[in-house]
Amino acid sequence: VPVLDTTNPQTVFAEFLSDFGFTTQDSLDVQSDDLTTADFHAILPGNRISDTTAIDLAHDAVALQMRTSQYPDFNDAPWVDYADTSLIILEPIDDQDVYLIYTQYRNYWFESAIRTDWTILSDTGVRVEFSYPLQDYVVEGGTSIEVTGVSSTFDATFPVTEVRTHLGDGWQPATGTDNWESLWEVPLLTEDTTWRIGALAYAEDDSTDATRSGQAWITVTISQFRIDIVDPLDAAQIERGIVQPISGTSRAYLAGAPIDSIVVTVLDATYTVLSSFDNWSVNWSVPADGDQQQADIVAKAYAAADS
């Protein structure tokens, strides 16, 4: 059905006639896709390592044409008919392991932004992969987790002899080889942060002492469950007999339970905040009588079982 040459919404109507003289009508609303959600990904294992330059790609767009390249200017790559899957042959570059892949889409009305994905080319014959966490996982800052994975070799004369992990503090020995693990003290940061962690596997031939290696990198998000007191400042001098505001900020874990309460204690007073957790405040009635003393202010945020 030819539609109007416009980016505005429009309706296509249909009428159906039966052998008995009955008719029915239906309609369908259509609109040109602006390609803002068009995207793709390389079809690769979780460690993104490929031992071949031929990389399969999966596309998700409402487009007439597309183009792909390993170069950001597309290097004169031609526009071709859109397909849900395609193949790109990477050109190896000396001293380069990580390769970016670029795609772009267009239809009759729109041209998409340039999308990217990446892979590591390796012919080492040693593969190492993460089992937990995986690419794009959210992990909780300030906690301890077991980073686990597997490794394997494609040559029986080169068994895997050692695995190391890089969790932000340099390459450290992991426990195990074919199935390995490392304890990660996930750092407590000031905000949600993307973090790259790596695994490196070594394989050695006992008869020749020749070695091979392979590595994998993934990116996770370290999410923060934290609470901070903004006012008063530490060691501030507070006048007796006044109402002193105590205020601060808090943040729950990404993909975790939302904060449901904040409790503030100072001397013998307790205050509970039940809303406005991002920027919270309570009013402390400072005792009027007494000598100079230290008052510890403690604020706790609660989110389900975490505090």
Side-chain angles (χ1 to χ4, degrees):
V1 177
V3 294
L4 301 176
D5 183 12
T6 175
T7 59
N8 296 322
Q10 53 188 297
T11 304
V12 177
F13 296 94
E15 186 175 52
F16 305 90
L17 174 65
S18 73
D19 291 339
F20 304 100
F22 300 111
T23 62
T24 183
Q25 294 182 342
D26 201 0
S27 64
L28 179 67
D29 294 327
V30 297
Q31 186 174 10
S32 56
D33 191 279
D34 61 8
L35 296 177
T36 56
T37 61
D39 209 350
F40 83 107
H41 67 270
I43 303 175
L44 293 164
N47 59 12
R48 291 186 172 271
I49 293 179
S50 175
D51 55 6
T52 174
T53 58
I55 308 297
D56 291 311
L57 307 177
H59 303 272
D60 183 12
V62 183
L64 291 174
Q65 293 181 317
M66 63 186 185
R67 59 178 179 169
T68 61
S69 177
Q70 71 185 78
Y71 303 103
D73 61 357
F74 287 91
N75 199 26
D76 297 326
W79 289 93
V80 298
D81 292 340
Y82 175 81
D84 291 335
T85 59
S86 67
L87 179 71
I88 184 172
I89 308 297
L90 299 177
E91 299 177 7
I93 299 174
D94 291 342
D95 300 322
Q96 180 171 321
D97 298 319
V98 179
Y99 289 77
L100 285 175
I101 302 171
Y102 302 85
T103 69
Q104 192 174 24
Y105 306 92
R106 68 184 183 186
N107 56 28
Y108 191 83
W109 302 272
F110 296 97
E111 188 171 278
S112 76
I114 296 174
R115 309 298 186 185
T116 62
D117 203 355
W118 58 277
T119 183
I120 298 173
L121 291 186
S122 174
D123 58 359
T124 61
V126 179
R127 176 163 292 175
V128 58
E129 300 180 16
F130 286 89
S131 301
Y132 181 84
L134 296 176
Q135 175 69 22
D136 297 328
Y137 268 32
V138 175
V139 298
E140 300 175 353
T143 63
S144 299
I145 66 172
E146 286 287 348
V147 177
T148 61
V150 296
S151 64
S152 57
T153 179
F154 302 114
D155 187 340
T157 62
F158 282 82
V160 176
T161 55
E162 182 185 12
V163 176
R164 295 172 175 259
T165 54
H166 194 307
L167 306 175
D169 54 354
W171 292 106
Q172 305 294 332
T175 301
T177 52
D178 294 347
N179 294 277
W180 53 265
E181 61 182 27
S182 285
L183 180 66
W184 184 19
E185 301 290 345
V186 185
L188 183 65
L189 307 172
T190 57
E191 59 185 356
D192 297 335
T193 305
T194 56
W195 195 275
R196 291 192 75 204
I197 60 175
L200 173 64
Y202 292 97
E204 182 176 346
D205 182 354
D206 289 338
S207 60
T208 64
D209 292 332
T211 61
R212 297 176 179 176
S213 64
Q215 59 181 295
W217 291 90
I218 62 172
T219 301
V220 299
T221 297
I222 299 178
S223 178
Q224 308 306 308
F225 179 40
R226 53 182 297 123
I227 183 168
D228 295 289
I229 298 172
V230 176
D231 184 51
L233 298 176
D234 191 35
Q237 299 293 314
I238 307 299
E239 181 183 351
R240 283 192 176 274
I242 67 170
V243 175
Q244 170 66 44
I246 301 173
S247 62
T249 60
S250 67
R251 182 185 299 113
Y253 284 131
L254 284 174
I259 293 177
D260 48 37
S261 67
I262 291 174
V263 176
V264 180
T265 58
V266 52
L267 297 180
D268 295 328
T270 300
Y271 305 91
T272 302
V273 181
L274 297 177
S275 62
S276 301
F277 303 123
D278 290 348
N279 295 278
W280 56 266
S281 65
V282 298
N283 289 322
W284 170 35
S285 297
V286 184
D289 301 323
D291 298 328
Q292 178 173 304
Q293 68 180 120
Q294 177 176 302
D296 293 325
I297 302 174
V298 179
K300 290 186 178 181
Y302 295 87
D306 297 317
S307 66

